[in-house]
Amino acid sequence: MNQSQIDSLRNAPVEPFHHLIDGQSVPASDGETTTVVSPIDGAPLTTYARGTQADTEAAIAAARRAFDDGRWSDIAPTGRKKVLLKWADLIEAKALELAVLGVRENGTEIGMALKAEPLSAVATIRYYAEAIDKLNGEITPTDPAFLGLVHREPVGVVGAIVPWNFPLMIGAWKFAPALAAGCTMVLKPAETASLTLVRVAQLALEAGMPAGVFNVVTGEGPVVGAAIAASMDVDVLVFTGSGATGRRLLEAAARSNLKRVYLELGGKSPNIVFADAPNLDDAAKVSAMGIFRNSGQVCIAGSRILVERSVHAAFVEKLAAQAAAIKVGDPLDSATQAGAVNSERQLRQNLGFVAEAREAGRKVIGGDRILQETGGLYMSPAIVADARPEDRVFREEVFGPVVTVTPFDTEAEAIALANDTSYGLAAAVWTSNLSRAHRMVRKIRAGIVHVNTYGGSDLTVPLGGVKQSGNGHDKSLHAFDKYLDLKTAWVKL
Ligand code: NAD
């Protein structure tokens, strides 16, 4: 990736986007569109179809037909694998184009977007494509007069509702294992990150995926998302987003067909730095990126740093230096380390948390709106250096570049503070003491506990939350559990 390639794409005109339903690019049934406004400069980028309930039902019906007639699920796993691998190649060939389009829509810095969006989707599709012809069923150890077989079957029609921070990465964590498993899908992208998902779904058709297998309906959560959640024809619903929406989806499932619902929700992840951290500079540097990359709009962001009191002041100083060095600005400048905040609403929310901490007398470093000549939504990283457990900024997910730092005295206190949250998505511990590291991994209630690092785990390990961070897992072979059912054949010989 070089800057001139990015610059050649940054102002390219973007045609209006439609839904992809049953292999066809179709506008909304009532012709309505939504204007996409770029957070880079506040200028309109294009439009997409504003989906209706009827559009969503048409997509679900298409996915239902495609599943029931076996046009995809009855293809041998090696056949599906071939299509998926071709699809990954097509996405890879267009990676930069897709990354720039995504950045123009959601503001993520391009260096990260390229890796974390199209290229991550490519790797994810390849991983599940390669895995699907290596999953065996079971023959159980029964009385010899019987044969007990356990088949794995695709669950049927999967509905997916995804957020705006990493649409392709998070989208692929869901669509790649679901499609590899032989399911069909209706996916609803977030309102402020729709375009790349539509384009990627079009490439699936080009790769030979039959029409109706992968449908994308763009539009608003309470309309399109709600119609998916309420459908009697969606067998499984997978979601990444806020806890509030997650609750609505569970209610809708209970009121409709009891579809299984898997939720990946938010976090308020503790990042615990002991005085015996192997290298405090490294801890400060990695912790800064663990919260400030993509302007803090990362579900696993390490937003609550807990620091052993004896190194608290030194750590804050190092963290502040790291934060001040982060280059915030034009996300299409490849040197930028934190791009635009996704929306005005999100930016105002971030600044509100900072203002409240200041008013409460906390020491706040940074956290200002950055005005740029071009307009756009930018904010400098914020550190609340002496946050207390009762502070709202310590308790609630900001989903922005705002981190709290809180001192502790003992390991037991660190564990208590770490677990003093309704969330349980991620955590980290920095220590040279191996036994302490393993004790912390056991005691912290979170889906992932990093040791002497933050973020960057690969596809081979699962990602999922405990407590109010959700249920079920994306990534790893365990992701197949959501999309493959077990069926028993009990045969009297
Ligand atoms: P959100 O819940 O508002 O939106 C997520 C998706 O749900 C969007 O596609 C939206 O259109 C849809 N939606 C909204 N209302 C709906 C409704 N009534 N019915 C059906 N669908 C509806 O969340 P957001 O603001 O887009 O995303 C930020 C949140 O997502 C943060 O809280 C963040 O922590 C969480 N998140 C979690 C993870 C994770 O892996 N756990 C990853 C990224 C983001």
Side-chain angles (χ1 to χ4, degrees), residues 162 164-165 188 191 239-242 245 264-266 299 397 399:
V162 296
W164 44 262
N165 54 343
K188 191 206 97 63
E191 290 83 337
F239 172 73
T240 294
S242 64
T245 304
E264 298 274 4
L265 307 173
C299 55
E397 183 180 49
F399 219 57

Side-chain angles (χ1 to χ4, degrees), residues 160-166 170 173-174 188-192 219-229 237 239-246 248-249 252 263-267 297-300 342 345-346 397-399 423 425 463-465 469-470 474:
I161 302 177
V162 296
W164 44 262
N165 54 343
F166 294 104
I170 294 173
W173 288 347
K174 301 183 192 311
K188 191 206 97 63
E191 290 83 337
T192 53
E220 290 170 13
V223 180
V224 178
I228 294 173
L237 176 56
F239 172 73
T240 294
S242 64
T245 304
R248 285 196 196 100
L249 302 182
L263 305 172
E264 298 274 4
L265 307 173
Q297 300 165 148
V298 178
C299 55
I300 63 160
N342 182 258
R345 182 180 68 110
Q346 183 66 51
E397 183 180 49
V398 179
F399 219 57
Y423 291 111
L425 190 56
L463 175 73
S469 286
D474 282 333

Side-chain angles (χ1 to χ4, degrees), residues 290-459:
I291 174 67
F292 298 132
R293 67 199 166 120
N294 198 15
S295 301
Q297 300 165 148
V298 178
C299 55
I300 63 160
S303 52
R304 279 190 306 143
I305 302 181
L306 309 173
V307 188
E308 194 163 353
R309 197 176 301 277
S310 60
V311 293
H312 176 257
F315 182 85
V316 167
E317 198 178 305
K318 290 175 193 297
L319 185 70
Q322 290 292 339
I326 289 175
K327 190 167 181 293
V328 182
D330 176 10
L332 287 175
D333 177 342
S334 52
T336 293
Q337 292 168 294
V341 174
N342 182 258
S343 64
E344 180 66 40
R345 182 180 68 110
Q346 183 66 51
L347 179 57
R348 264 196 251 123
Q349 192 176 305
N350 300 347
L351 295 168
F353 274 99
V354 173
E356 196 178 305
R358 277 212 178 94
E359 277 155 28
R362 303 290 176 263
K363 184 180 173 205
V364 180
I365 303 163
D368 302 303
R369 188 177 190 130
I370 302 176
L371 297 174
Q372 305 232 337
E373 263 173 46
T374 54
L377 308 171
Y378 301 96
M379 175 180 172
S380 62
I383 300 169
V384 183
D386 51 358
R388 299 187 194 160
E390 63 271 24
D391 294 346
R392 197 168 71 92
V393 69
F394 183 94
R395 310 206 71 78
E396 290 181 22
E397 183 180 49
V398 179
F399 219 57
V402 181
V403 73
T404 61
V405 186
T406 305
F408 67 84
D409 291 299
T410 63
E411 188 179 308
E413 190 189 355
I415 292 167
L417 282 169
N419 288 334
D420 182 16
T421 171
S422 55
Y423 291 111
L425 190 56
V429 50
W430 297 81
T431 178
S432 300
N433 180 329
L434 190 62
S435 300
R436 168 185 276 161
H438 287 292
R439 277 198 301 273
M440 299 295 287
V441 169
R442 281 200 187 152
K443 292 285 182 194
I444 295 172
R445 294 194 63 202
I448 177 171
V449 182
H450 305 84
V451 177
N452 294 333
T453 187
Y454 205 100
S457 71
D458 70 18
L459 262 180

Side-chain angles (χ1 to χ4, degrees), residues 88 91-92 95-96 98-99 111-128 166-177 200 457-459 475:
I91 298 170
E92 191 171 41
L96 188 63
L98 283 162
M112 170 153 215
L114 184 62
K115 270 190 273 166
E117 283 283 283
L119 295 181
S120 160
V122 166
T124 304
I125 293 169
R126 287 184 181 145
Y127 178 88
Y128 290 105
F166 294 104
L168 285 185
M169 177 172 74
I170 294 173
W173 288 347
K174 301 183 192 311
F175 66 64
V200 157
S457 71
D458 70 18
L459 262 180
K475 300 168 62 189

Side-chain angles (χ1 to χ4, degrees), residues 271-274 276-278 282-283 286-287 428-432 452-454:
N271 178 11
I272 306 166
V273 183
F274 283 95
D276 67 357
D282 187 43
V286 176
S287 299
V429 50
W430 297 81
T431 178
S432 300
N452 294 333
T453 187
Y454 205 100

